[in-house]
């Protein structure tokens, strides 16, 4: 199956992410062995991109949710946890109490 984003084919997962984000993934995650100067330049570029596109984090979250829903929908199966009313603790049963 071929995947296209904006008319360009994504040949790998990394390329898909880059095309979906509009920036290389390394810009956000960094690369192993980068110098402090390279890191500072990368973070400056990331700040500039976020300034120009303040909706990018929301867009990325939406894209990630769509990808998960399409490829692993079971990750969205949610089980609600029942909470006990505040101030009520279950009675201790069996065994000796601390004061015994």
């Amino acid at each position: 199956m071929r995947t296209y984003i904006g008319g360009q084919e994504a040949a790998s997962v990394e390329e898909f992410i880059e095309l979906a984000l509009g920036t290389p993934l390394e810009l956000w995650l960094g690369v192993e062995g980068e110098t402090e100067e390279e890191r500072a330049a990368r973070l400056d570029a990331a700040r500039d991109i976020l300034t120009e596109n303040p909706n990018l984090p929301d867009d990325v979250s939406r894209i990630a949710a769509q990808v998960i829903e399409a490829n692993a929908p079971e990750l969205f199966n949610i089980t609600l946890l029942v909470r006990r009313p505040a101030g009520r603790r279950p009675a201790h049963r069996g065994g000796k109490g601390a004061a015994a």
Side-chain angles (χ1 to χ4, degrees):
M1 183 172 105
R2 294 178 181 211
T3 304
Y4 291 87
I5 296 181
Q8 291 200 334
E9 183 180 1
S12 66
V13 172
E14 290 79 16
E15 201 169 289
F16 173 86
I17 293 169
E18 185 173 333
L19 289 169
L21 289 175
T23 61
L25 189 57
E26 293 81 16
L27 176 68
W28 307 103
L29 301 179
V31 292
E32 191 173 329
E34 73 182 355
T35 66
E36 284 299 316
E37 187 176 280
E38 291 169 330
R39 182 176 190 274
R42 178 178 57 78
L43 293 177
D44 277 346
R47 274 193 279 296
D48 289 345
I49 289 169
L50 289 174
T51 298
E52 292 173 14
N53 189 357
N55 294 327
L56 184 62
D58 292 335
D59 294 343
V60 170
S61 297
R62 184 178 31 74
I63 291 167
Q66 290 170 348
V67 169
I68 291 169
E69 187 174 38
N71 296 291
E74 66 277 2
L75 294 177
F76 285 127
N77 292 343
I78 298 172
T79 302
L80 296 176
L81 300 176
V82 179
R83 292 183 176 221
R84 292 189 200 109
R88 299 213 43 201
R89 299 178 119 196
H92 181 69
R93 300 187 186 231
K96 294 182 179 179

